[in-house]
Amino acid sequence: MNAGESGSVLKRERVRDHILELIESLHPGDAIPSERSLCATLEVSRPTLRAAVDELVAAGLLVREHGRGMFVAPEKITQELVSDSQGMILPQASGTWSSRLLEFATITAGARVGRKLRLSPAAGIVYAARLRLVDGAPMAIEHLHIPAELVPRLTARELETGDLYEHLRERHGVQVSEATQTIEPTVVSQAEAGLLGVPELSPALLFERHTSDTRGRPVEYVHSIYRGDRYRIVSRLSLNAPSTSPSTPRAEATPGWHPV
């Protein structure tokens, strides 16, 4: 990197830090100064300013509105992960969660889902797609796959109201016990963008979870797409705690199956 490139990076970082301070001093929906005003205050070119602003828009901290300016974005929904001697404790995620059922059917597992649930490809599974909302705003699209023999009387209402794991325990005699979950970055497709209310190819988080019950039976395979601009995960780590096996999930808080 030559001196010119280094100077450009430092300028953009200085601009970014200045705007972040502005964001922290304001409230969601508040306007920040215009590009012209910021350029004059910071003594930088408009391309340098826009590069920094673009990063903050992509990170979900700023919102551009054509013809109106730039505004502080809505607060992100935060899910905290806290380690303890048993693995990860998952406190209640922020916001009021609800669900809108998009699809609900009993179908054959197929080869891929069958492997994940340790079922024959011809075995029946309950498939459900849910739009997850926080305070009424679309936050995630969730695809659930549950062995049909475990939930022969599962209803659409159970997937839209109340807590799914509570329904499994109280109405179907299935007590979830452990889960393995992966999280990785992705982007939303055109169809997903329409449901989530974001531009196509917007950044997102892909969750995949395999859950088993107290008898060791696979209970569900879930994959979900979460908005990258509105959702974040914070880890609180106890560095003195011994390493443990995968955690016991808590239905009311774990990313990917928030309560209604």
Side-chain angles (χ1 to χ4, degrees), residues 232-252:
R232 67 176 180 175
I233 297 171
V234 177
S235 296
R236 183 188 302 172
L237 306 176
S238 176
L239 300 180
N240 293 324
S243 178
T244 59
S245 59
S247 63
T248 300
R250 296 193 177 185
E252 68 272 20

Side-chain angles (χ1 to χ4, degrees), residues 149-154 158 164-177 212-217 219:
E149 65 178 6
L150 294 181
V151 288
R153 297 178 302 280
L154 184 67
E158 289 176 275
L164 176 58
Y165 284 178
E166 184 177 316
H167 293 322
L168 291 179
R169 181 180 66 252
E170 295 185 354
R171 302 185 183 185
H172 305 277
V174 177
Q175 174 68 61
V176 297
S177 175
S212 59
D213 67 4
T214 53
R215 296 167 58 184
R217 299 176 300 179
V219 170

Side-chain angles (χ1 to χ4, degrees), residues 32-186:
I32 69 168
S34 67
E35 288 187 356
R36 177 178 298 179
S37 174
L38 287 170
C39 287
T41 299
L42 298 170
E43 299 180 341
V44 296
S45 66
R46 187 159 290 189
T48 297
L49 178 73
R50 285 182 175 172
V53 168
D54 287 345
E55 291 179 6
L56 297 174
V57 170
L61 299 174
L62 283 179
V63 175
R64 275 197 183 101
E65 294 189 14
H66 183 67
R68 295 192 62 216
M70 297 177 292
F71 300 84
V72 178
E75 291 185 5
K76 291 196 175 187
I77 303 306
T78 298
Q79 172 66 66
E80 186 178 18
L81 308 184
V82 184
S83 67
D84 75 349
S85 60
Q86 300 301 314
M88 299 302 294
I89 295 175
L90 296 140
Q92 177 66 53
S94 58
T96 300
W97 290 78
S98 58
S99 297
R100 178 159 64 86
L101 196 59
L102 303 173
E103 288 190 43
F104 179 52
T106 299
I107 60 175
T108 56
R112 181 173 177 272
V113 174
R115 285 195 301 271
K116 293 181 180 297
L117 292 175
R118 301 204 301 265
L119 296 172
S120 161
I125 63 166
V126 172
Y127 167 75
R130 302 195 296 179
L131 182 64
R132 304 291 276 143
L133 304 102
V134 179
D135 300 328
M139 186 60 55
I141 302 167
E142 184 178 69
H143 303 267
L144 300 96
H145 310 78
I146 306 173
E149 65 178 6
L150 294 181
V151 288
R153 297 178 302 280
L154 184 67
T155 65
R157 181 171 176 78
E158 289 176 275
L159 294 166
E160 288 194 311
T161 61
D163 180 80
L164 176 58
Y165 284 178
E166 184 177 316
H167 293 322
L168 291 179
R169 181 180 66 252
E170 295 185 354
R171 302 185 183 185
H172 305 277
V174 177
Q175 174 68 61
V176 297
S177 175
E178 293 187 342
T180 300
Q181 182 164 268
T182 62
I183 309 168
E184 60 185 87
T186 187

